[in-house]
Amino acid sequence: MQVGSRRCILNPVSGDGEHADYVERLMEARGFAVERTEGAGDAIEMGREAGEAEASEVAVCGGDGTINEVMRGLYQTDHLDEVTLSVVPAGTANLLAGTIGVTDDEHGVEVADTGTVRSVDVGFADDEPFLVSCIAGLTADASMAASSELKERFGTLAFLLTGAQEAIEFDGLDISLEAIGEDGPVRWSGEVVCLLVGNARKFVERGGQANMEDGLLDVAIIEQMPTGNLVAEAIGHRLLATETEGVTHVRARDISIESRESAVSFSRDGELVEHETLDLSVGERTLDLRVGSEYVPDPE
């Protein structure tokens, strides 16, 4: 094997920060050269360096945000579709790891070494890649704050429950949306509480794993409604159900969103960015990703 063809980019302060030395020893024993991030933007630069060096395998030890930064670096060097990526979970929520059947950091090391490789979809938001989701509205800030316990109990609804107090002062977003859906063109406009676009995550009922190999994004549009109704529906686990009034579900390949007022904050795999217009698309089976044995390619 070419020297340096296996790299591990490790964020030592993700989660509780107790994983770094242990994971580094395990990864080095499996032939990975380990680099530690020291500050903001380091993971992007290390991903770029791995791409420039044409690394064959890149493992990321950290949370969903660290994974996204490494992907961005790889994409900037046109290496995202040439590398095999793996995940050693060390963040708070670890949504991607849970989706692909990786249970903890020790299991992640094992999967990074010998796990099955699947070719999965990559979402793009204005030419920036994401694997988990891109969300706007009340949940964009709340997604950063929801506790891991709340996320485990309520799934996607945890973001809405965390933001329930903010809902009293939240005026909603006035947007228009056009999409190429699986059943044809879709057009929607109006005021929303939140807009949820998932690649690895779906937003029906309590959410959960989406099909990452179907070339489609899973979209939920939650219209503005009285605060009491919003909170009651969320607590009652009905808010994202397909029959809930005021909730629109779409599966689409290409989506264009325009704010009819000011710029909107989007959380792209945990990174907050602002857009007045945003184009989303899918790179079908663009990324080779190592997965655990519990990964289900086509979940119900």
Side-chain angles (χ1 to χ4, degrees):
M1 180 179 294
Q2 179 183 353
V3 175
S5 62
R6 288 189 128 187
R7 297 190 178 199
C8 174
I9 297 170
L10 186 155
N11 184 342
V13 298
S14 287
D16 59 17
E18 297 180 357
H19 58 281
D21 293 341
Y22 175 65
V23 169
E24 183 169 358
R25 288 196 302 271
L26 293 180
M27 294 301 287
E28 288 181 340
R30 286 160 175 76
F32 285 81
V34 179
E35 298 177 279
R36 296 193 184 201
T37 63
E38 296 181 357
D42 284 358
I44 299 175
E45 180 59 30
M46 290 175 180
R48 188 183 300 117
E49 291 172 354
E52 291 172 347
E54 299 184 351
S56 62
E57 303 215 21
V58 174
V60 185
C61 179
D64 295 310
T66 305
I67 297 165
N68 182 264
E69 288 192 356
V70 172
M71 285 182 53
R72 287 160 60 193
L74 290 166
Y75 181 65
Q76 288 170 12
T77 55
D78 295 324
H79 197 61
L80 190 60
D81 59 352
E82 301 291 336
V83 73
T84 298
L85 192 75
S86 55
V87 177
V88 180
T92 301
N94 302 309
L95 293 174
L96 179 62
T99 296
I100 62 174
V102 178
T103 57
D104 54 33
D105 53 8
E106 187 170 358
H107 184 223
V109 171
E110 178 185 339
V111 171
D113 188 23
T114 61
T116 300
V117 177
R118 302 286 302 195
S119 295
V120 302
D121 300 341
V122 175
F124 292 93
D126 273 2
D127 209 35
E128 291 284 4
F130 66 93
L131 276 177
V132 180
S133 62
C134 184
I135 62 182
L138 186 60
T139 61
D141 291 316
S143 69
M144 308 288 288
S147 69
S148 57
E149 179 182 357
L150 199 62
K151 288 173 182 175
E152 183 176 349
R153 288 183 60 198
F154 294 105
T156 300
L157 295 177
F159 303 148
L160 297 171
L161 294 170
T162 301
Q165 291 182 335
E166 300 173 22
I168 297 173
E169 300 178 355
F170 187 74
D171 293 330
L173 306 174
D174 190 1
I175 67 167
S176 60
L177 178 148
E178 295 186 2
I180 307 297
E182 60 180 341
D183 298 320
V186 175
R187 291 180 175 84
W188 191 96
S189 63
E191 288 195 356
V192 302
V193 173
C194 54
L195 174 69
L196 310 167
V197 181
N199 180 52
R201 305 293 289 176
K202 63 182 178 181
F203 302 107
V204 178
E205 304 295 345
R206 287 185 58 188
Q209 181 195 338
N211 186 334
M212 295 181 68
E213 303 179 18
D214 62 355
L216 295 167
L217 296 170
D218 286 68
V219 183
I221 304 166
I222 302 178
E223 297 178 30
Q224 182 76 314
M225 63 181 73
T227 301
N229 293 6
L230 169 66
V231 176
E233 292 286 356
I235 293 174
H237 290 202
R238 297 186 300 270
L239 182 60
L240 296 176
T242 54
E243 69 275 8
T244 302
E245 184 178 354
V247 178
T248 301
H249 294 278
V250 178
R251 282 161 48 82
R253 295 187 299 275
D254 295 283
I255 305 163
S256 294
I257 302 163
E258 181 178 356
S259 171
R260 298 191 291 187
E261 296 178 345
S262 58
V264 173
S265 290
F266 288 83
S267 175
R268 187 186 61 234
D269 283 357
E271 181 191 14
L272 289 175
V273 291
E274 288 197 347
H275 295 274
E276 291 186 1
T277 62
L278 183 65
D279 293 326
L280 298 108
S281 60
V282 182
E284 187 170 359
R285 300 192 181 186
T286 295
L287 175 67
D288 287 342
L289 183 66
R290 288 196 182 272
V291 301
S293 59
E294 299 300 312
Y295 169 72
V296 179
D298 187 7
E300 295 181 359

